[in-house]
Amino acid sequence: LYGTKIKELPDNLTVGGNLNLYGTQIKELPDGLSVGGDLSLSYTSIKELPDNLTVGGNFYLYDTEIKKLPDGLTVGGGLDLYGTQIKELPDNLTVVDYLDLGGTSIKKLPDGLSVGGDLDLSCTSIEKLPDGLSVGGDLDLRGTPIKKLPDNLTVGGNLNLYGTQIKELPDNLTVGGGIIGY
């Protein structure tokens, strides 16, 4: 819908593929919105997400005024929160692919966080990783105030520790790729 004059969407809208609302005049999402592919809300004035939102692909929220994600949100692809006003993540957030929190003011990761791909925490204020965190791809901790990694941390790709204050590696650390900056 990029470039259209549409200002609202009907309740219970189902889109099998992608829904691009980038830069539109739509101010709120309808209840029951289900998007099978990617959903882009970037550069919109949408401030709130419905509780029953379903996104099967990537979910782009960068440069929006959204401050909160719904509880129990599952994103079938990646979740891009770069530059958003979101301050915390809901418990049991599931992201099948990547999660980009770079440049956000999020200070804590929720219990039960599951990220199947890369997790970018660079330049965030996150001080601690939750116990039992498992990241399927790369884990980027550049420029974070994290001082200690949790025991049993599993990273499927590279672990980037450049610019952190981490002085020792934890017990039972599993890294599928390389450790950078240690």
Side-chain angles (χ1 to χ4, degrees), residues 28 146 159:
E28 67 181 35
I146 295 172
L159 174 60

Side-chain angles (χ1 to χ4, degrees), residues 109-122:
L109 295 177
D111 292 334
L113 175 65
S114 175
V115 180
D118 297 343
L119 177 57
D120 184 350
L121 302 179
S122 62

Side-chain angles (χ1 to χ4, degrees), residues 149-173:
L149 296 173
D151 289 341
N152 302 311
L153 174 64
T154 300
V155 179
N158 296 317
L159 174 60
N160 191 337
L161 301 176
Y162 186 78
T164 66
Q165 299 175 25
I166 296 170
K167 293 183 169 86
E168 65 182 66
L169 297 176
D171 291 338
N172 300 316
L173 173 66

Side-chain angles (χ1 to χ4, degrees), residues 78-91:
L79 178 58
D80 190 340
L81 300 180
Y82 182 86
T84 65
Q85 298 176 29
I86 294 171
K87 294 188 185 329
E88 68 179 355
L89 298 174
D91 284 339

